[in-house]
Structure formats: C-alpha cells, structure tokens
DNA sequence: ATTGCTCTCCGTCAGGAGTA
DNA sequence: TACTCCTGACGGAGAGCAAT
C-alpha cells in the first residue's frame, strides 16, 4: 500500500506510487519540517532528488538569493502516520513513537484505511474514501475452503477473510475446537507475517530514500558553502 | 543437463508488548 | 491475567546463474 504524497503532504493510500523514488506510507524515517538554509543561487532542483524534496517559499530565510527571492528546502512529509503527529505533541510522546513503531492497525487507522465488509459470496466492496466515494470490488477465489477464503483485490493485493468472521460461531467439541483455534491462529499469523514483511520492505525503502535525501542536502550545503566563500572573498577584495 | 551456490519468499514458532 | 498483535529467527521451496 504505497501512499502517494501530494503537494500538501497528505497521503492517498490508493494512489499509485511514483516509480523511481517511492514514498512510503509506513512510519516515516524522514523527519518532518527539515528545513534548510540553502539558497537557490544556482538552480538547485537538478541537484535534488525528484519526488523527495520540494522548494517552498521561506520569507525568513537567512540567506538571500541573487534575485532576492528567498527559498528553503523542505523534505516532503512522507507518511500517513507522521501526518497524525502535530507539532505540539510532547517530546516524550514523540520519543515513544520513535522507539516503538506503531502497529499496523494504528497505521491503517491513521490512513483512514479501508473498512472491510464481509459479504457471503461473490463480490465484496471496500469503502476507502471519505463518504465512501471510493468503492473497490473484490472477487472471492476460493471461498469454499475451510477456515478462510482468499480474496483477490482488484488492484492485485490479496488477503484473507476468515469464514468464522462470517458465521460467528465456533464448532463445539474439545479436539476439533483446539484444531480449529490452531488453524485460525496459524492463518492470522501467516497474514501478520506477510504484512510484517511488507512493512519491513517499506521501512527499508524509506531508509534508502532518506539516505538519498540527506546526500542531496549534503551536496547542496557544500555547494552553498562554496558559493558563500567565493562571495566573501569577492567582497573582501573590493 | 546437472550441480552447487545464492537470493527471495513464505510459513511457523517463540517471545515481547499492549489491551480488555 | 488471558488474549491478541507484531516481529525476529529458522528452515524449506523455488528461481536464477555460473561452472562443469
């Protein structure tokens, strides 16, 4: 579920992710509001990785551009979970959030994620947008199997809907019940492991993206330092 | 064609942490 | 405290690839 980040930093979980530098929707490793004092004397955009960095107006920047316009770099806020963090949250809470990654459920809640409705057979619909504006149709592929039915999401994602969730009752009888419980536990754990691996991949992708962003920032700062030195020497000789 | 190696993906188990 | 969720660790299966 790669989220698409728009200009406002909001995440659309269903939007396709940009191919080269995918912005992830898991907990961000890119810190919000990282602002630079980098000037834009040289056209800085080619230096910076597309998709990860935007140029914004920053009137109180300490460094002037030759044209007089003031700019700063801001790393785009990339995740939905971070979207939910307001600036006035306590440092302790923020620290907690950093030391322990939020659960998938929390992430999904932060995303305002899809609500799954279980329909006995045939098509299943998921409302994932505000006011149910975005309805996605699903088709059952093995609804006859015991324990769970594999559901194929229209965009290619696959997940399970436990049959017990539909029927709501568990078979009585000691051994059968135990086996049933074990089946369900394994099923859930299988799904959890799958989700965990997916999230881990996204997390690694985020780390790689952050490396790229920081490298670009570093490069830009070096350039900035160089130009400032030149400017200083120039003024000194005059 | 076969073999050995590496990589990736998957299922399962175990244990820590959160929650009712 | 029992239950659930999440994730690291482990092992198996399959694909890709080079060497023979």
């Amino acid at each position: 579920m790669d989220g698409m980040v728009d200009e406002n930093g909001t995440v659309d979980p269903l939007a396709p992710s940009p191919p080269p530098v995918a912005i992830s929707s898991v907990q961000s490793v890119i810190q919000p509001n990282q602002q630079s004092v980098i000037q834009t004397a040289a056209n800085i955009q080619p230096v910076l990785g597309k998709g990860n960095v935007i140029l914004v107006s920053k009137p109180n920047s300490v460094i002037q551009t030759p044209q007089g316009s003031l700019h700063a770099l801001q790393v785009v806020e990339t995740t939905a979970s971070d979207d939910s963090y307001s600036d006035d949250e306590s440092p302790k809470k923020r620290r907690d959030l950093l030391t322990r990654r939020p659960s998938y459920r929390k992430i999904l809640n932060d995303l305002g994620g899809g609500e799954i409705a279980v329909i006995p057979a045939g098509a299943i619909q998921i409302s994932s947008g505000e006011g149910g504006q975005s309805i996605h149709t699903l088709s059952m592929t093995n609804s006859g199997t015991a324990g769970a039915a594999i559901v194929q999401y229209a965009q290619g994602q696959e997940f399970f809907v436990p049959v017990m969730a539909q029927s709501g009752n568990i078979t009585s009888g000691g051994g059968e019940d135990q086996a049933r419980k074990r089946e369900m536990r394994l099923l859930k754990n299988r799904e959890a492991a799958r989700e965990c691996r997916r999230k881990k991949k996204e997390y690694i992708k985020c780390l790689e993206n952050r490396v790229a962003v920081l490298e670009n920032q570093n490069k830009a700062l070096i350039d900035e330092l160089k130009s400032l030195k030149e400017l200083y020497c120039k003024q000194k000789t005059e």
Side-chain angles (χ1 to χ4, degrees):
Chain A
M1 195 204 295
D2 284 353
M4 184 75 161
V5 182
D6 65 17
E7 314 149 324
N8 300 322
T10 57
V11 175
D12 177 8
L14 293 175
S17 52
V21 194
I23 304 291
S24 168
S25 62
V26 298
Q27 184 190 18
S28 179
V29 296
I30 299 174
Q31 299 305 311
N33 301 323
Q34 285 185 348
Q35 289 180 342
S36 168
V37 294
I38 299 167
Q39 60 162 338
T40 58
N43 187 4
I44 216 159
Q45 276 152 310
V47 177
L48 300 167
K50 57 184 174 186
N52 286 335
V53 180
I54 57 172
L55 290 173
V56 297
S57 169
K58 188 160 187 302
N60 54 351
S61 172
V62 295
I63 297 179
Q64 302 282 333
T65 65
Q67 294 82 14
S69 60
L70 301 169
H71 286 60
L73 286 172
Q74 181 179 36
V75 177
V76 174
E77 183 55 57
T78 61
T79 73
S81 56
D82 280 356
D83 286 342
S84 64
Y85 304 154
S86 57
D87 287 340
D88 54 357
E89 273 182 341
S90 68
K92 184 181 182 301
K93 193 173 181 184
R94 277 186 166 271
R95 215 167 29 239
D96 288 346
L97 289 167
L98 284 174
T99 52
R100 180 174 174 79
R101 279 179 283 177
S103 69
Y104 300 141
R105 181 174 294 177
K106 185 179 185 327
I107 291 169
L108 285 173
N109 284 342
D110 289 346
L111 283 171
E115 212 175 280
I116 299 175
V118 180
I119 296 171
I124 291 178
Q125 289 185 330
I126 289 180
S127 168
S128 60
E130 282 180 17
Q133 69 209 26
S134 167
I135 301 293
H136 302 269
T137 302
L138 305 163
S139 59
M140 311 273 277
T141 57
N142 69 336
S143 56
T145 57
I150 297 174
V151 177
Q152 188 74 33
Y153 182 40
Q155 291 182 344
Q157 290 180 341
E158 198 177 78
F159 57 90
F160 292 91
V161 174
V163 171
M164 268 176 52
Q166 299 176 34
S167 60
N169 56 358
I170 302 171
T171 57
S172 58
E176 270 186 35
D177 191 29
Q178 290 287 45
R180 183 83 171 165
K181 278 181 180 172
R182 177 181 156 79
E183 253 334 282
M184 288 304 298
R185 185 165 46 81
L186 290 181
L187 183 67
K188 280 186 178 178
N189 189 245
R190 206 177 299 146
E191 276 300 295
R194 208 172 286 167
E195 189 67 12
C196 184
R197 287 179 182 124
R198 188 192 62 75
K199 188 186 169 191
K200 192 176 179 179
K201 272 187 182 176
E202 298 270 334
Y203 183 70
I204 290 170
K205 214 186 285 175
C206 271
L207 287 176
E208 290 168 350
N209 287 345
R210 192 181 181 202
V211 167
V213 168
L214 291 176
E215 280 176 349
N216 284 332
Q217 284 185 335
N218 191 39
K219 205 185 290 179
L221 283 168
I222 289 170
D223 289 346
E224 179 187 17
L225 180 63
K226 204 191 291 179
S227 61
L228 282 173
K229 275 182 181 173
E230 283 172 6
L231 189 65
Y232 176 72
C233 291
K234 212 176 177 181
Q235 285 180 347
K236 209 177 172 184
T237 54
E238 281 174 2

